[in-house]
Amino acid sequence: MAQVNTCLKRIFTIFNLFFAIVGGVIILLALLSQFFTSANGGENLEGRTSGLIVLYVAGIVTLVISILGAYGAHKESRVCLIVFLVCMVIGCLLMLRVGVPIAFARPELKGWMEEKLRSVLPLDKASDNVKNTADGLQAGLHCCGLFSYQDWEDNIPDSRLCSSQEEEEMCQAVGYRMLLRETRVYSRPCFPIIMHYILLVVDVMLGIFFTMAALALLGMILSSIMIHQMNSGSRPTMMLTVPTIFSTPPPKYQELHNPPPY
């Protein structure tokens, strides 16, 4: 078996070391998420269980594949490298399978979100769950209504009222038919802020998916080169002989005569 190029082995080892770090970080995030969930008394644990399982599985699989690739490069094991190559092919296809539809759906996300949110207006007549969610967004983002303060009609929740300590440019004075005094509310609607964070999360997800796909493609290339080098050294050497059809025939034997005695 031919020896794999030393520089290629080092590059491949560094590549798998990076993959192992990524797997460890994913597992660490899952542990931290589980810890904070338990610290909060296990609230909404049922909805987070599937997410934790996905994180644990992704981290463990990434860690195992990186160890497999590093071991295969160190021991020059063709079987381990072939398994690593198959895992990289599957991983690259999965990342593209998820990332490409998200990339095509991103331009239409804003219109889809706007249509869904407008269907719950007016907010003062929406369900309690929608009202509580809107109140939390307004208090946290310092905004008023989804698209304007008129989304609440004449019912003003405390979450969108400006305090006396708010900056002047963040507030506006509005009047209502049912109120005898002027009220100051946040001037910014919540929908643009919500969309900013949603698109930011989508862009981060796209960056992760396509980066992982590119890394998987790089792993495919490196492992393929190493397997090719091993296969090249394991092929039997073939002896080539020159055909004798056009070769010059040897000279005929000549009869030797003893010289006559004198």
Side-chain angles (χ1 to χ4, degrees):
M1 181 181 296
Q3 185 177 7
V4 180
N5 184 272
T6 305
C7 181
L8 180 61
K9 288 177 63 175
R10 290 177 180 175
I11 295 175
F12 193 71
T13 302
I14 294 173
F15 172 83
N16 284 281
L17 178 62
F18 174 77
F19 249 69
I21 293 174
V22 172
V25 169
I26 294 175
I27 295 175
L28 180 61
L29 290 176
L31 290 173
L32 291 175
S33 178
Q34 186 175 8
F35 172 78
F36 286 116
T37 300
S38 301
N40 292 331
E43 298 178 358
N44 299 327
L45 184 60
E46 295 79 5
R48 299 182 183 181
T49 301
S50 58
L52 290 174
I53 293 175
V54 170
L55 286 177
Y56 278 123
V57 171
I60 293 173
V61 169
T62 303
L63 192 60
V64 170
I65 292 175
S66 63
I67 295 174
L68 180 67
Y71 176 82
H74 179 69
K75 296 294 184 179
E76 297 187 9
S77 173
R78 186 185 294 105
V79 175
C80 292
L81 290 176
I82 290 176
V83 174
F84 179 86
L85 175 60
V86 173
C87 292
M88 289 294 101
V89 172
I90 295 175
C92 183
L93 293 178
L94 286 177
M95 293 298 105
L96 293 177
R97 175 66 180 83
V98 177
V100 171
I102 294 178
F104 279 104
R106 186 189 182 281
E108 303 175 358
L109 183 60
K110 184 176 181 181
W112 181 82
M113 285 293 299
E114 182 175 356
E115 180 181 356
K116 290 295 182 181
L117 292 179
R118 287 191 182 277
S119 64
V120 301
L121 299 180
L123 292 176
D124 59 332
K125 295 181 176 61
S127 62
D128 292 337
N129 188 23
V130 174
K131 289 181 181 179
N132 294 333
T133 302
D135 285 341
L137 290 173
Q138 291 178 154
L141 301 177
H142 290 181
C143 55
C144 179
L146 294 176
F147 303 96
S148 70
Y149 67 90
Q150 296 177 350
D151 294 341
W152 289 97
E153 294 188 343
D154 291 332
N155 298 318
I156 304 175
D158 295 336
S159 60
R160 71 173 184 170
L161 297 178
C162 287
S163 64
S164 58
Q165 300 169 345
E166 294 292 336
E167 297 181 2
E168 187 65 25
E169 60 269 13
M170 295 180 61
C171 303
Q172 63 177 343
V174 297
Y176 285 91
R177 298 186 305 270
M178 299 175 61
L179 297 176
L180 300 178
R181 61 184 179 85
E182 196 174 59
T183 304
R184 297 185 62 80
V185 298
Y186 294 116
S187 59
R188 299 183 304 173
C190 294
F191 179 73
I193 305 175
I194 296 172
M195 283 307 306
H196 170 74
Y197 287 109
I198 291 178
L199 293 178
L200 180 62
V201 171
V202 171
D203 291 339
V204 171
M205 291 175 59
L206 287 176
I208 292 174
F209 287 136
F210 285 111
T211 299
M212 295 297 291
L215 290 175
L217 180 60
L218 178 60
M220 291 167 51
I221 295 173
L222 294 175
S223 57
S224 299
I225 295 175
M226 295 181 67
I227 294 172
H228 174 71
Q229 290 184 357
M230 293 179 183
N231 292 335
S232 298
S234 61
R235 293 173 183 172
T237 304
M238 300 180 62
M239 300 296 295
L240 298 179
T241 58
V242 180
T244 59
I245 299 176
F246 301 101
S247 60
T248 305
K252 296 181 179 180
Y253 290 102
Q254 295 180 355
E255 187 178 355
L256 297 177
H257 298 279
N258 293 329
Y262 291 100

